[in-house]
Amino acid sequence: MTLTPRTNLIIYMKSSKNERQLRKYGHIAYFNRKDKWLSLYIDKEKVDEVLEQLSRLKYVLNVEISPYQTLETNYESL
């Protein structure tokens, strides 16, 4: 079993009705109906392609790459 590297996108939408149409782009991990945003996991090699496709959609306001991968994960105890 091989694990493919994935990245998390945060997508802000105009309406929460369009959540189902975003399922074809990747795996929806979290969906907030009140604030109209969702967390979508996609393969790392498809990031540029999917970002371009999502930015063209009428119901998408903003797409951000999650900053989690840039955070430092080395913890030191004092």
Side-chain angles (χ1 to χ4, degrees):
M1 181 175 148
T2 60
L3 295 175
T4 58
R6 299 188 318 164
T7 187
N8 186 12
L9 298 179
I10 300 169
I11 303 169
Y12 297 95
M13 302 179 297
K14 291 181 182 177
S15 173
S16 60
K17 295 178 188 177
N18 304 102
E19 174 259 338
R20 297 191 88 169
Q21 285 132 2
L22 294 174
R23 290 181 186 179
K24 67 180 177 181
Y25 295 103
H27 174 75
I28 296 177
Y30 181 75
F31 177 52
N32 188 328
R33 286 188 192 277
K34 181 183 173 196
D35 296 330
K36 300 175 193 163
W37 66 272
L38 60 85
S39 173
L40 181 79
Y41 279 95
I42 58 170
D43 292 340
K44 198 164 197 153
E45 61 264 2
K46 296 180 183 179
V47 170
D48 296 330
E49 176 186 330
V50 173
L51 278 174
E52 184 178 324
Q53 291 174 355
L54 289 173
S55 63
R56 287 189 208 152
L57 297 174
K58 292 179 183 178
Y59 51 86
V60 173
L61 293 173
N62 191 13
V63 180
E64 297 177 358
I65 297 176
S66 175
Y68 180 74
Q69 293 176 347
T70 60
L71 294 176
E72 187 173 336
T73 57
N74 296 331
Y75 304 109
E76 297 178 9
S77 63
L78 300 174

